[in-house]
Amino acid sequence: MERFEYHVVGMTCEHCERRVTGELEAIAGVESVTADAATGLVIITSPTQPDAAAVPEAVDEAGYELASA
């Protein structure tokens, strides 16, 4: 498994973490997601890199924004 790190803008609490985690876990191939509202860091564990379009779409669906790299 590989780890992929993203920064999500706007998470402020555990509820935010759960929303982002739930949307990202629905992406095909994603094994697990860890979100930290305090830092905005989201770690996706997956055998391959998640689809480049699916990650920002899932974060947007959760109501947050993926920070630019």
Side-chain angles (χ1 to χ4, degrees), residues 6-27:
Y6 301 91
H7 185 78
V8 175
V9 178
M11 293 190 300
T12 59
C13 63
E14 287 182 32
H15 177 263
C16 300
E17 293 170 351
R18 287 192 302 272
R19 284 190 51 88
V20 169
T21 297
E23 290 294 335
L24 291 171
E25 285 179 337
I27 297 173

Side-chain angles (χ1 to χ4, degrees), residues 7-63:
H7 185 78
V8 175
V9 178
M11 293 190 300
T12 59
C13 63
E14 287 182 32
H15 177 263
C16 300
E17 293 170 351
R18 287 192 302 272
R19 284 190 51 88
V20 169
T21 297
E23 290 294 335
L24 291 171
E25 285 179 337
I27 297 173
V30 170
E31 287 290 321
S32 68
V33 177
T34 303
D36 184 350
T39 63
L41 183 64
V42 173
I43 299 172
I44 295 176
T45 303
S46 177
T48 60
Q49 176 131 12
D51 180 67
V55 173
E57 287 174 11
V59 171
D60 184 61
E61 184 67 28

